[in-house]
Amino acid sequence: MRLILFSVASGLLHLAAAQTIYDIWQTTWDRSKLLTRANDPLVNFVAKGAIGDADVIVSDGTVYQQMDGFGATLTDSSALVFNGLKNKNSANYWALLNKLFDVTDGAATAGFGVLRLNLGASDFSAKAYSFDDKSGDTTLSSFSLDNAPSYLWSVLKDIYSINSKIKLYVVPWSPPAWMKSGTMNGGKLQTQYNGVYAQYLFKAVQQLSARGFPVYAINPQASLTLLTPSVILTDTYKPLDR
């Protein structure tokens, strides 16, 4: 079992046979620790004692839902950092990817089994773009995954070489600007483009699969709870008729 801890400290964790979380790497908000390995385990699983304010009781006899996995997001900016490391120190690059994505039992890695990928630009991109920026292209004849930076696909391919069964979850930050009542940075999807946008997403899934990146799940937009989402799902929203 592997866990990721996000608090004042963050790091790669997994449970040892003695039920102790160990191998913790910390980076603190005040920069007093920068990717520093903790000498002592932060969490020990022990027999239940007197109830206290900090007790966490885990029952493995009650099952609520099945977890699909744990993972991270590969953005344009993170792919750029990965690619820069690959160019400067290939050995460290591959060591880092293996530390993150190797799911071999006993490998002492994060073992990420889920990866989120942006469909087009996000707020972690150098510029705003979609996979079809040709205004009014309702046939999507200019659709191309290559609108994304090439290093994104290079890093993704390397990740798949380590874990070919990773579950790829894709999500767009915005429809193409010409489908909206605004720009990539604002406005909403115009209703006359509902069908075209569905085809746009479907085309993205098809082309990703053709490149060797089968899609496990898709969301029509990131952060659906935003006050002003680009895509508003209503009761009249219907699946694309293929």
Side-chain angles (χ1 to χ4, degrees):
M1 179 180 182
R2 295 177 174 86
L3 306 172
I4 299 298
L5 175 66
F6 292 100
S7 58
V8 176
S10 65
L12 303 180
L13 322 173
H14 73 272
L15 294 182
Q19 297 298 297
T20 298
I21 294 180
Y22 73 103
D23 194 20
I24 298 174
W25 296 79
Q26 297 173 295
T27 295
T28 55
W29 68 272
D30 60 0
R31 299 176 62 85
S32 61
K33 293 182 180 179
L34 297 177
L35 201 60
T36 303
R37 187 169 187 169
N39 294 323
D40 299 317
L42 295 183
V43 180
N44 285 306
F45 289 86
V46 297
K48 179 181 176 182
I51 297 297
D53 292 339
D55 284 344
V56 177
I57 300 175
V58 179
S59 172
D60 58 5
T62 304
V63 178
Y64 291 98
Q65 66 187 56
Q66 181 175 336
M67 296 299 297
D68 277 351
F70 297 88
T73 298
L74 181 65
T75 62
D76 290 357
S77 59
S78 59
L80 178 63
V81 172
F82 276 125
N83 191 64
L85 177 60
K86 184 178 183 179
N87 292 334
K88 291 184 177 181
N89 192 320
S90 179
N92 283 354
Y93 168 78
W94 285 105
L96 178 58
L97 285 193
N98 275 281
K99 191 70 173 178
L100 293 172
F101 298 103
D102 185 357
V103 293
T104 305
D105 285 342
T109 64
F112 287 161
V114 178
L115 186 67
R116 187 173 75 164
L117 182 74
N118 308 318
L119 296 181
S122 73
D123 44 350
F124 291 99
S125 298
K127 65 177 183 178
Y129 69 88
S130 73
F131 292 144
D132 190 341
D133 290 324
K134 182 180 178 181
S135 181
D137 184 22
T138 56
T139 62
L140 302 177
S141 59
S142 295
F143 184 99
S144 176
L145 296 183
D146 289 329
N147 287 1
S150 59
Y151 50 76
L152 176 69
W153 309 122
S154 175
V155 172
L156 185 59
K157 183 178 179 180
D158 290 342
I159 291 172
Y160 266 78
S161 72
I162 295 171
N163 181 1
S164 62
K165 297 186 182 300
I166 197 165
K167 295 176 178 177
L168 187 64
Y169 161 48
V170 297
V171 55
W173 252 239
S174 170
W178 55 270
M179 295 186 189
K180 300 171 64 180
S181 59
T183 68
M184 290 283 289
N185 295 320
K188 291 181 173 61
L189 178 68
Q190 300 181 75
T191 56
Q192 66 264 36
Y193 293 119
N194 283 355
V196 180
Y197 185 50
Q199 292 287 352
Y200 173 90
L201 297 178
F202 184 47
K203 202 174 187 72
V205 171
Q206 284 183 314
Q207 292 199 10
L208 283 167
S209 181
R211 292 192 179 203
F213 311 130
V215 172
Y216 173 74
I218 185 172
N219 210 34
Q221 182 191 304
S223 305
L224 287 171
T225 57
L226 287 175
L227 294 177
T228 56
S230 294
V231 179
I232 299 177
L233 302 183
T234 67
D235 292 338
T236 59
Y237 183 86
K238 296 180 181 179
L240 173 65
D241 184 1
R242 299 181 186 176

